């Protein structure tokens, strides 16, 4: 498969499918008073949609960050990235299959939230390992991407503290911005190979 054709699929998934599906799943109201886990338990179709969203986003991060790991010059950075993304996708997978029902299963609800949050931290950790490894080669080239990484962390923090909880606004922001940053880093890295 040629580079142009591969970029088409990457652009379709990262710039259209994931953002569109994320926004459609989020709906149009109450972005600061609800979240994806609450939306998922409001009906069977919503839960199915939640699982599809998790498979789409988790699959994207697994494939793209694994590919990026393979392009890193140092074995330690490759291994660290692979461990972090594998653990992150496993956490997301477990969070998807543990429904968020705090009234009926409070311990499982806490586990669901912890796994979902840990999945995001691990994805961002994998991205940070990649960016720091690439920055060792060329500080200037990767400065903007590292700044974008910090922007996602800061934006996520602000969106957490506004309502004091993980909200739909935070989940939409994190999913779309981390997806686009991963795409950007991958394409910039391919320019060097």
């Amino acid at each position: 498969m040629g580079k142009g054709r591969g970029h088409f699929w990457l652009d379709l998934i990262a710039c259209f499918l994931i953002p569109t599906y994320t926004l459609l799943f989020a709906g149009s109201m109450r972005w600061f008073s609800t979240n994806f886990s609450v939306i998922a338990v409001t009906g069977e179709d919503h839960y199915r949609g939640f699982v599809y969203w998790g498979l789409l986003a988790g699959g994207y991060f697994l494939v793209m960050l694994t590919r990026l790991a393979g392009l890193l010059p140092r074995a330690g950075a490759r291994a660290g990235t692979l461990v972090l993304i594998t653990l992150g996708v496993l956490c997301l997978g477990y969070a998807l299959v543990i429904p968020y029902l705090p009234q009926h299963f409070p311990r499982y609800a806490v586990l669901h939230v912890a796994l979902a949050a840990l999945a995001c931290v691990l994805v961002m950790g994998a991205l940070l390992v990649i960016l720091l490894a690439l920055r060792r080669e060329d500080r200037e080239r990767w400065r903007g991407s590292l700044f974008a990484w910090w922007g996602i962390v800061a934006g996520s923090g602000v969106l957490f503290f506004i309502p004091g909880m993980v909200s739909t606004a935070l989940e939409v922001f994190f999913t779309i911005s981390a997806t686009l940053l991963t795409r950007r880093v991958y394409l910039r890295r391919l320019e060097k190979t």
Side-chain angles (χ1 to χ4, degrees), residues 37-50:
S37 300
V38 173
I39 294 169
V41 296
T42 60
E44 188 176 319
D45 288 339
H46 290 147
Y47 184 72
R48 194 175 302 121
F50 179 60

Side-chain angles (χ1 to χ4, degrees), residues 37 40-41 47 50-51 90-101 105-116:
S37 300
V41 296
Y47 184 72
F50 179 60
V51 170
L90 284 173
C91 286
L92 177 61
Y94 283 118
L96 290 172
V97 298
I98 299 171
Y100 180 74
L101 298 167
F105 305 105
R107 289 187 181 145
Y108 288 122
V110 169
L111 181 60
H112 170 92
V113 171
L115 288 169

Side-chain angles (χ1 to χ4, degrees), residues 66-175:
T66 299
R67 284 184 173 183
L68 271 165
L71 297 173
L72 295 177
R74 297 180 180 272
R78 285 192 300 270
T81 300
L82 292 174
V83 167
L84 289 171
I85 191 55
T86 301
L87 291 173
V89 170
L90 284 173
C91 286
L92 177 61
Y94 283 118
L96 290 172
V97 298
I98 299 171
Y100 180 74
L101 298 167
Q103 298 84 3
H104 304 290
F105 305 105
R107 289 187 181 145
Y108 288 122
V110 169
L111 181 60
H112 170 92
V113 171
L115 288 169
L118 185 56
C120 296
V121 169
L122 291 167
V123 165
M124 289 303 283
L127 260 172
L128 182 60
V129 168
I130 290 166
L131 287 169
L132 292 176
L134 294 172
R135 186 172 174 249
R136 290 183 78 161
E137 290 180 350
D138 187 343
R139 290 178 78 88
E140 277 305 308
R141 180 176 180 77
W142 298 104
R143 181 185 309 244
S145 296
L146 195 54
F147 183 73
W149 186 92
W150 282 109
I152 293 171
V153 170
S156 296
V158 168
L159 289 171
F160 177 81
F161 286 111
I162 289 173
M165 62 179 252
V166 174
S167 65
T168 299
L170 170 56
E171 291 167 324
V172 167
F173 170 77
F174 178 82
T175 302

Side-chain angles (χ1 to χ4, degrees), residues 1-23:
M1 175 169 33
K3 279 188 178 180
R5 194 168 180 195
H7 294 308
F8 169 78
W9 289 110
L10 174 60
D11 291 344
L12 177 68
I13 293 167
C15 300
F16 179 72
L17 285 179
I18 291 176
T20 301
Y21 194 91
T22 300
L23 291 169

Side-chain angles (χ1 to χ4, degrees), residues 47-63:
Y47 184 72
R48 194 175 302 121
F50 179 60
V51 170
Y52 292 155
W53 168 81
L55 291 172
L56 180 62
Y60 171 81
F61 287 118
L62 179 64
V63 169

